[in-house]
Amino acid sequence: MPDGFEPKIVAFFCNWCTYLAADLAGTSRMKYAPNIRVIRTMCSGRLDPQFVLYALANGADGVLIGGCHPGDCHYQEGNYKTLRRYHLLKRLLKEYGIEEERVRLEWISAAEADKLRTAVNQLVEKVRALGPLRWCAPVEVREPSEVTLQ
Amino acid sequence: MAQRQRDSDGGARVGVYVCHCGTNIAGTIDIYGLTDFAASLPGVAVAREYKYMCSDPGQALIKQDIADHSLTRIVVAACSPCLHEKTFRHATALGGLNPYFFQMVNIREHDSWVHTDKAAATAKAKDLVRAAVNRVKRHQPLERREVSVKSDVLVVGGGIAGIHAALTLANAGKRVYLVEREPTIGGHMAMFDKTFPTLDCAACILTPKMTAVKMHPNITLWTMSEVARVEGYVGNYRVTVKRKPRYVIEELCLGCMECIEACVFKQAKVPDEFNLGLSKRKPVYIPFPQAVPQVVVIDPETCIEFKTGKCKKTCIEICGERNAIDLQQKEELKTIEVGAIVLATGFRIFDAKRIPYYGYGEYPNVYTGLEVERLINAAGPTGGELVMRGGRKPTSVGIIHCVGSRDEHTNRYCSRVCCMYSLKLAHLIKEKTGAEVYSLYIDIRAPGKAFEEFYNRVAEEGIRLIRGKVADIYPAPNGGSGLVLQVEDTLLCRVHKILVDMVVLATGLEPRADAQEVRRRFNIGCSSEGFFLERHPKLAPVNTFTDGIFLAGCCQGPKDIPDTVAQAGAAAGEALALIDAGAFELEPSTAYVLKDNCSGCKTCIGLCPYQAISFVEDRKQAEINEILCKGCGTCVAACPSGSIRQHLFEDEEILEEIDGVLAYA
């Protein structure tokens, strides 16, 4: 792992719960890792899984998705759709050979600033340990002899 | 997901404004570096920093620059959009641009306040500003959407908060539906004896307001009722109220109470809820003498007719021609349409049994504060005599503060009212019985108008104030009567063992047991303690995150009567402001279908919780009703052909943001 690697984390937070939790963390002057860049959507249900892939393909080392707790969605059930897509996305990431821990979904209510801080810090640490994703870097071409055809 | 064309800036001229927010932002982020960086971004015509962008000169700056530099898009890097997005959209519009040609960057709550490393915080701010500049270039002109607002209001909860809010709204000429779960309004305040710090009699100040509710031509009072369902949106809520049977026809009952006399139960046998089980009532009863409505109620759980069907029904007999008793009454559902809702659902008292070493429920002479309110109340179970279980007057009483408050094992928060009501009870007990009263506190909190003076007065009356948390309560040893309180006096650093006859637990205030259920029904949030969450703790203390729903009283957090009444008035005021405006501006972030692209796969239709998407049979395509659409974007993300899009959250806009935060400087 290169020295001084600082993971780039893109976060997609819903407007009503997790974005507000991040606001509350600010108002409460909690401190967390500065590696995260938040993009706001009205509901986590707006999150097209391709946004996650796009972020990973364009230099993000990890993605944090934040939504309201199950049953608490401002739009009734958008977060359930997010959860469904998240599970599929994880399978897809695995197929791509991307460590699935790089993408994390958390239910964080507007009151849970502390949970937000923990989620951000944990993901940053996790991704730091995994190292850069470099998905956007050119693919390493292996010698034909290393490839075993089945 | 829609494909993006990369080169369509359309020659946008962006103005970027970086706010210092005093030192709130400038203390952590290099404002000048950030402004220079913004100026270097493609498409940025002007980048400025200013001490307070939200101030009038700050906003005027935007307006002036739009004119001077022919700006077409505005970005402000400042606080959370929850605070000032509206302010700057307005400023953008004043400059002659579409208000949605604006993007806000949160570099305060999400950056300067949460990071200490200045370089890292500045780098983050640069990424966020670049994302916003990228994004705002893609913004489309949008129209403001408005909905009309119905003028009726629903108030949920008939305690002092609900009563005050209902009366204020009704006096302003609005039709108010006041829904109360219990058979009477009055709430907890009706159970109190005196109120601190003035020692007004609670009933004397409350009951005129209760009667006013009943008499008011604009108020429809539904007791024994609960809100079963809430549909619709701000200005247009459709609420289903469940009215439970009282088994007495409210309009016909005169409140003569002859049926109570006549009940086959000669003795009252059922624990009386209003007196917290300290007295008994019959299955047919009236909660308390000043109950509103003045109508009896029959409790089917204990009434013999309901249990066996073999009662002589002497109640019906005596009611005679008045015919007010109807044992066949059924639950009813009523539907109302209201523009605004005030939630005033109150609190519950902390269950003292959760702290076993205080022996509540085990030792008969350990009481809660509310029970003592009833005992010293002239209309209470003992006619105002403070006598303990067993019939003796206490000669020494220990009042324990902070039971279920400021305690790691139960609730961490301060319940705000217990210090003052404990001092009030100390005064009243001393006055009624002359007993020696010990008040055992952690800290005395007396921060209201005339509270400190009241504390001094009580201290001068000879109440023994001891600073310490009671660690244990046990019966007097060697068969002696009374209870021993073991407490460390933290001012003298000495352990006391105090022998008292009676213990009063100053139990704290908790959210209602069904607060979570209720908040889901109304689609609002809760704070971590479980009280309903206000939109902003300082600037929008009675608003919620759901427009048109307001909070009053202890459902939002523990507070005393003056604060509750003030908040109820504020909630009524906010509701009036909404209704009298006649219309409410909605966010424009609705979804829409690209007619050329939709293949009619119907994936989206089942996803919408608001039934806003329908399938047009003749075109074989989906169509979105923008009035019903609330703009969550779930269907947008799901559309396999990218033919559903969302205003303000277009794929291009989000992808530009992703590019922006990831591009390395």
Side-chain angles (χ1 to χ4, degrees), chain A residues 8 16 19-20 22-23 26 30-32 34 36-37 40 45-46 50-51 54 72 74-75 81 85, chain B residues 1 4 80-81 85 106 110 113-115 124 127 519-520 523 607 610 632 634 646 649 651 659 661:
Chain A
K8 277 233 167 188
W16 302 101
Y19 194 88
L20 292 174
D23 275 3
M30 289 180 174
K31 304 298 174 205
Y32 56 81
I36 175 176
R37 308 286 184 265
R40 180 171 68 125
R46 173 66 183 92
Q50 291 193 59
F51 293 160
Y54 185 85
D72 289 0
H74 189 79
Y75 303 101
K81 313 291 188 277
R85 292 170 194 158
Chain B
M1 190 167 70
R4 202 164 35 130
S80 169
E85 190 172 53
N106 186 345
H110 285 198
W113 276 353
V114 287
H115 306 312
K124 177 171 177 178
D127 284 350
R519 81 171 171 92
R520 285 194 176 131
N523 197 21
L607 291 177
Y610 307 106
C632 63
T634 304
Q646 186 184 10
F649 294 91
D651 282 349
D659 276 343
V661 295

Side-chain angles (χ1 to χ4, degrees), chain B residues 35-49:
Chain B
T35 312
D36 290 346
F37 167 80
S40 73
L41 291 170
V44 173
V46 181
R48 294 185 195 278
E49 38 67 39

